[in-house]
Amino acid sequence: MTRFAVRTLTLNPAIDVSSDTEKVEPERKVRTCNERIDPGGGGINVARVLQRLGTSVEAIYLAGGATGGSLDQLLERAGLQRRLVPIADDTRTSLTIHEHSTGLEYRFVPEGPTIGLEELRACCDAIGAASSDYFVASGSLPPGVPDDFYATVGERVRDGGARWALDTSGAELNAALSAGGIHLLKSSREELNENAARDLVTSGRVEHVALTCGGEGALLIDAEGAWSLPSVQTEPVSTVGAGDSFLAGVTHGLATGLAPAEAFRIGVAAGAAATLSPGTDLAYPENVWRLLEQVPEARRIG
């Protein structure tokens, strides 16, 4: 059986389209420039950054219809090792518009295709078709997928010997937390407060919680307390994909054998590096390693 350092799962991927305009106005043609088309979705984004960082990675994803074929071509062009699970419905297309006049960023994100039971079974087969040291499930669930599916995935990958990392929200997160067994949970302070994160670790359901806190930096919470890091100051071009790049940086560090606090530093650098890339592009290694020099040693805060 083929083994990777990391495998990722994206149940609701997207073709990410981004462009710039001077001003977004209703009921008028909005002329755009600087168009980009990228393969997207949480797990795919994490895999793309891991590949750039030199990590052995395979991306598992569901895709179908004319847009699913286009997504696969984008991933082939990126040279990403991948495992496609075909579905009947069309893969979604997301749109990000950066407005020059205000500096604001507008994101339009469809709910995605409806997934059938047989397609979910094929997804589980794909998960079992190879092994890895770490398995990252990231992103929203599309229609038709039960809330407890990530919990099912977690049990399956743990049985295969992988450490499970998760980045999601809402009912699917609650179901996964109830099942427990999560090695690394990536979240934000908007989704999970610090006390709740500490409770998850104390209860044994999660081993590490990586909590991004915007301009206040980030926290890595474990059984002994929390590590704190400040944010890295950049002149952001786009904030799309910063969270996925952060998770990829942490996972890369863990997969290469670094202590969690050191992997955390790479995550902070990678999240900041993503803001230097235009549109829906992600972090690049040269920016990650350059910004890592500005990230201090993580500080224990109890």
Side-chain angles (χ1 to χ4, degrees), residues 112 129 153 231:
V153 169
S231 60

Side-chain angles (χ1 to χ4, degrees), residues 72-173:
D72 192 59
Q73 289 176 14
L74 289 168
L75 290 169
E76 182 177 13
R77 187 169 69 185
L80 187 66
Q81 184 76 32
R82 64 202 190 279
R83 191 177 298 270
L84 167 64
V85 179
I87 61 173
D89 209 349
D90 290 322
T91 295
R92 62 182 178 162
T93 300
S94 299
L95 175 64
T96 299
I97 300 291
H98 180 259
E99 186 179 60
H100 287 167
S101 60
T102 62
L104 296 175
E105 199 168 65
Y106 296 88
R107 303 184 191 182
F108 303 89
V109 183
E111 66 177 357
T114 299
I115 309 301
L117 181 59
E118 289 302 315
E119 293 164 342
L120 284 179
R121 288 175 178 160
C123 179
C124 289
D125 290 342
I127 292 169
S131 60
S132 60
D133 299 321
Y134 286 84
F135 191 98
V136 180
S138 179
S140 62
L141 299 184
V145 179
D147 292 341
D148 64 352
F149 189 73
Y150 276 146
T152 301
V153 169
E155 182 178 3
R156 190 177 186 93
V157 300
R158 289 194 306 274
D159 288 345
R163 292 179 172 178
W164 182 34
L166 179 65
D167 180 7
T168 191
S169 60
E172 54 262 41
L173 173 59

Side-chain angles (χ1 to χ4, degrees), residues 20-236:
D20 297 353
T21 191
E22 181 59 29
K23 185 175 177 57
V24 176
E25 297 182 272
E27 300 180 4
R28 297 185 62 180
K29 288 184 178 179
V30 178
R31 302 290 181 180
T32 62
C33 61
N34 299 327
E35 288 83 9
R36 284 191 62 91
I37 301 177
D38 291 300
I44 284 175
N45 287 344
V46 171
R48 288 170 61 201
V49 176
L50 285 168
Q51 179 198 36
R52 291 175 183 179
L53 293 173
T55 307
S56 165
V57 61
E58 180 186 60
I60 306 166
Y61 62 101
L62 278 61
T67 46
S70 297
L71 174 65
D72 192 59
Q73 289 176 14
L74 289 168
L75 290 169
E76 182 177 13
R77 187 169 69 185
L80 187 66
Q81 184 76 32
R82 64 202 190 279
R83 191 177 298 270
L84 167 64
V85 179
I87 61 173
D89 209 349
D90 290 322
T91 295
R92 62 182 178 162
T93 300
S94 299
L95 175 64
T96 299
I97 300 291
H98 180 259
E99 186 179 60
H100 287 167
S101 60
T102 62
L104 296 175
E105 199 168 65
Y106 296 88
R107 303 184 191 182
F108 303 89
V109 183
E111 66 177 357
T114 299
I115 309 301
L117 181 59
E118 289 302 315
E119 293 164 342
L120 284 179
R121 288 175 178 160
C123 179
C124 289
D125 290 342
I127 292 169
S131 60
S132 60
D133 299 321
Y134 286 84
F135 191 98
V136 180
S138 179
S140 62
L141 299 184
V145 179
D147 292 341
D148 64 352
F149 189 73
Y150 276 146
T152 301
V153 169
E155 182 178 3
R156 190 177 186 93
V157 300
R158 289 194 306 274
D159 288 345
R163 292 179 172 178
W164 182 34
L166 179 65
D167 180 7
T168 191
S169 60
E172 54 262 41
L173 173 59
N174 292 333
L177 291 176
S178 294
I182 302 170
H183 180 72
L184 173 65
L185 174 66
K186 185 268 172 187
S187 191
S188 70
R189 187 174 279 173
E190 292 146 356
E191 298 167 341
L192 189 72
N193 65 48
E194 185 179 339
N195 288 335
R198 289 176 182 267
D199 288 344
L200 290 173
V201 171
T202 301
S203 70
R205 288 177 286 173
V206 181
E207 192 168 343
H208 303 279
V209 178
L211 199 63
T212 55
C213 307
E216 297 179 26
L219 297 172
L220 181 66
I221 298 167
D222 60 20
E224 296 179 8
W227 298 96
S228 174
L229 281 173
S231 60
V232 178
Q233 298 305 309
T234 64
E235 295 185 6

